[in-house]
Amino acid sequence: MPALEITNAAALPADWRDLLALTKPRVMSLVVFTGLCGLLAAPELPPAVLGFTAILCIALGAGACGALNQWYEADLDAKMRRTAKRPLPAGRMDRQTALHFGVGLGAFSVLLMGLAANWLAAGLLAVSILFYVLVYTVWLKPRTAQNIVIGGAAGAFPPLIGWVAATGQFAPLPLLLFAIIFLWTPPHFWALSLFVRSDYAAAGIPMLPVVAGARATRRQIFIYSLPMAAAAIAPWPLGLAGPIYGASAAILSGVFLVLAARVFGSRSSDPADMPAERHLFAYSVFYLFALFTALVADRWIAW
Amino acid sequence: MKPEDEVLRRQRDRSRIMALLLGAFVVLLFFITIAKIGINW
């Protein structure tokens, strides 16, 4: 009797590996990396232990977002092949455990950030967690195909938080870093949603390919890539970064635009036969890593 | 494995990890305090 097994499994204390899986460690790696780069690009660095704690808090905040997202979307996750094996839809944990874990982790990360770094960074971390959970997960994601566009702001906070943790104030460069990730998110996720479209459709999530079709999605991917490339290159002509970053950003963004143009020109409707979309998705992850690495290299080598 | 054994195993694993995390947190707080004292001087 599967129902009885699920009840028994949920009645057990959750395995610590499942609690770890709730935090989406793979997503966390990109968040930690961009947060660290925001901190390392700042003009003044805090003592190492405070910088480490700030990055730890960003990671814990991201983990809280993952846990609360999975708590809220357990029913949707059960309908998608990609997510059906997660701890909640698979019945290995009860929902209340995930809720308590997520809220506790989030509150702890904000308090520790305030004590170790400063309360402006802690406030930004709290806003980013609440934005991801309430604005993106609860409000926008099930309602509009533009969910990724506005929800992408949540993922754009880490470099800003890293910078503010180091300096205690805002500056033009971290705001541009925020803009880069904000504009990078739609092409990144829409490329993914083109070749996993059937999954999102089964769960009834209004992703752009489901609502507007593949052709409109490909056009939007290319359109968003243009201001993203402009924002990525902008720190150089604005005098906020040096030539190492400028040249890297120009080359990396040029390749991104070529791949986005290939997606724009693609006509395939079979998710299994979408090499251009898969290439763009894979490259988009590399792009963000390489761009932020170039920023830190530029700050530490050239300036 | 009996269900009671599985409950005990999970509780034991979680207790160990909690102890490790709390220990790490105490060490982290110690170094944060030292760093803060250094800044305020």
Side-chain angles (χ1 to χ4, degrees):
Chain A
M1 287 201 291
L4 187 64
E5 279 171 26
I6 285 172
T7 310
N8 283 341
L12 286 171
D15 193 288
W16 66 272
R17 293 173 197 83
D18 284 332
L19 287 171
L20 184 67
L22 275 189
T23 63
K24 299 188 184 175
R26 282 183 65 191
V27 176
M28 201 194 280
S29 62
L30 198 61
V31 169
V32 166
F33 180 75
T34 55
L36 180 64
C37 289
L39 187 133
L40 291 177
E44 51 194 282
L45 281 185
V49 67
L50 300 186
F52 168 80
T53 308
I55 299 305
L56 178 70
C57 291
I58 293 175
L60 295 178
C65 289
L68 291 171
N69 174 276
Q70 290 188 52
W71 161 72
Y72 188 77
E73 293 187 341
D75 297 334
L76 288 178
D77 284 348
K79 294 177 189 163
M80 297 203 288
R81 197 159 29 96
R82 188 169 63 88
T83 54
K85 290 195 174 74
R86 285 176 176 174
L88 286 172
R92 298 197 302 275
M93 187 190 293
D94 67 299
R95 284 179 91 145
Q96 207 171 28
T97 302
L99 175 64
H100 291 173
F101 180 66
V103 171
L105 204 57
F108 177 75
S109 68
V110 170
L111 285 174
L112 187 59
M113 179 70 98
L115 291 170
N118 55 68
W119 290 101
L120 183 59
L124 274 174
L125 184 62
V127 167
S128 69
I129 295 171
L130 292 173
F131 190 91
Y132 183 82
V133 175
L134 298 179
V135 177
Y136 173 63
T137 304
V138 175
W139 184 35
L140 292 174
K141 194 172 175 182
R143 282 179 180 78
T144 165
Q146 296 300 311
N147 48 20
I148 283 302
V149 177
I150 302 158
F157 273 101
L160 184 60
I161 298 172
W163 180 290
V164 171
T167 65
Q169 57 195 5
F170 292 105
L173 183 58
L175 291 173
L176 267 175
L177 299 180
F178 180 95
I180 292 167
I181 302 182
F182 179 66
L183 294 165
W184 165 90
T185 306
H188 167 76
F189 268 106
W190 283 336
L192 174 72
S193 67
L194 275 170
F195 60 85
V196 293
R197 190 161 26 136
S198 54
D199 260 344
Y200 282 117
I205 297 173
M207 290 301 283
L208 198 61
V210 179
V211 176
R215 195 161 176 195
T217 305
R218 291 184 172 111
R219 189 171 63 243
Q220 292 289 323
I221 284 174
F222 185 68
I223 289 172
Y224 270 93
S225 301
L226 296 170
M228 182 210 71
I233 298 169
W236 187 27
L238 290 174
L240 303 170
I244 293 178
Y245 173 79
S248 306
I251 294 167
L252 289 164
S253 302
V255 175
F256 196 109
L257 288 177
V258 168
L259 292 177
R262 278 181 56 204
V263 169
F264 187 33
S266 167
R267 292 286 173 269
S268 173
S269 58
D270 176 12
D273 180 34
M274 291 190 178
E277 288 77 2
R278 287 174 192 272
H279 285 157
L280 179 65
F281 177 73
Y283 180 77
S284 67
V285 177
F286 167 77
Y287 173 81
L288 210 61
F289 269 109
L291 195 71
F292 278 73
T293 303
L295 180 75
V296 173
D298 184 85
R299 155 84 174 76
W300 286 90
I301 295 169
W303 280 44
Chain B
M1 189 185 279
K2 285 188 290 185
E4 303 87 63
D5 293 341
E6 178 62 11
V7 170
L8 280 176
R9 187 191 66 79
R10 289 190 182 194
Q11 283 176 338
R12 196 172 54 238
D13 282 358
R14 280 172 56 160
S15 300
R16 279 180 184 156
I17 286 171
M18 203 63 203
L20 280 175
L21 290 176
L22 280 173
F25 182 59
V26 169
V27 173
L28 184 65
L29 273 189
F30 171 74
F31 283 108
I32 288 173
T33 308
I34 298 294
K36 287 278 184 186
I37 291 170
I39 288 173
N40 291 333
W41 267 31

